[in-house]
Amino acid sequence: MHSASAPVFARILNNMLNWLDRAEAHAQARKFDANNYLGLRLAPDMLPFARQIQIASDAAKGCMSRLAGAEIPKWEDNEATLDDLRARIRKTLAHVQSFSPAQVDGSDDKPISVPMRSGDALQFTGETFLKHFALPNFMFHATTAYALLRHAGVDLGKADFLGR
């Protein structure tokens, strides 16, 4: 369970840091404020770029905490700059990497409950939670953040998403 979670989250979180560096370089080369990226959306009813990063962060820290039976840290969603987003990603990365295999392995049959804003909490086993909820949710928001930057002209490719 650890090898299927922590290294996957860590790889994409590290890649996200690269995306933000590339976005900042793109903005500097074109002489505009890189923080303009924070409000990017593909459609009026979707959450903006900054929120995509925040939700990906929440998915990773929530997954690792739940699998390990630890309290999920509560962080304000108040990032207002690319530097703030970098700090959040680094904090998430540190949290993900703080769990040892011994804390997470064996959680495949552990009952996991995910509260929902509307309605009853979702109930999973650890393995189902990881494979069918936490990782897909994390990847959805990471992919959306990546796509928003690509749409804005940032020079990113598939290798930047997957990592080298």
Side-chain angles (χ1 to χ4, degrees):
M1 290 293 286
H2 185 274
S3 68
S5 57
V8 177
F9 291 131
R11 183 177 185 111
I12 299 298
L13 290 165
N14 276 309
N15 294 344
M16 286 175 158
L17 291 170
N18 179 53
W19 307 344
L20 296 182
D21 292 345
R22 300 276 289 279
E24 188 160 39
H26 179 261
Q28 287 172 348
R30 284 154 188 80
K31 302 191 184 331
F32 67 86
D33 183 356
N35 296 319
N36 287 332
Y37 293 119
L38 275 70
L40 287 177
R41 302 169 191 258
L42 293 174
D45 64 344
M46 77 179 288
L47 297 171
F49 176 78
R51 194 72 186 109
Q52 301 298 331
I53 298 289
Q54 292 162 347
I55 295 170
S57 163
D58 290 346
K61 72 181 169 92
C63 177
M64 295 307 298
S65 297
R66 284 184 175 98
L67 292 177
E71 187 171 334
I72 302 168
K74 293 180 179 31
W75 300 338
E76 289 187 46
D77 295 328
N78 59 359
E79 291 79 14
T81 67
L82 287 185
D83 283 339
D84 292 345
L85 289 175
R86 279 186 193 94
R88 181 171 182 133
I89 292 168
R90 286 186 185 107
K91 188 166 53 169
T92 306
L93 189 55
H95 182 74
V96 164
Q97 293 174 325
S98 74
F99 294 99
S100 69
Q103 291 174 282
V104 177
D105 288 344
S107 62
D108 22 345
D109 291 325
K110 178 183 182 168
I112 303 286
S113 180
V114 179
M116 302 304 289
R117 275 184 246 172
S118 57
D120 296 333
L122 301 177
Q123 305 298 326
F124 302 97
T125 63
E127 183 177 16
T128 302
F129 168 68
L130 175 62
K131 290 179 178 178
H132 300 286
F133 186 81
L135 282 173
N137 187 45
F138 173 78
M139 290 298 186
F140 173 86
H141 292 285
T143 301
T144 301
Y146 169 89
L148 286 166
L149 292 177
R150 283 286 293 131
H151 183 70
V154 177
D155 185 23
L156 295 171
K158 185 177 181 179
D160 297 301
F161 185 90
L162 297 175
R164 299 188 191 278

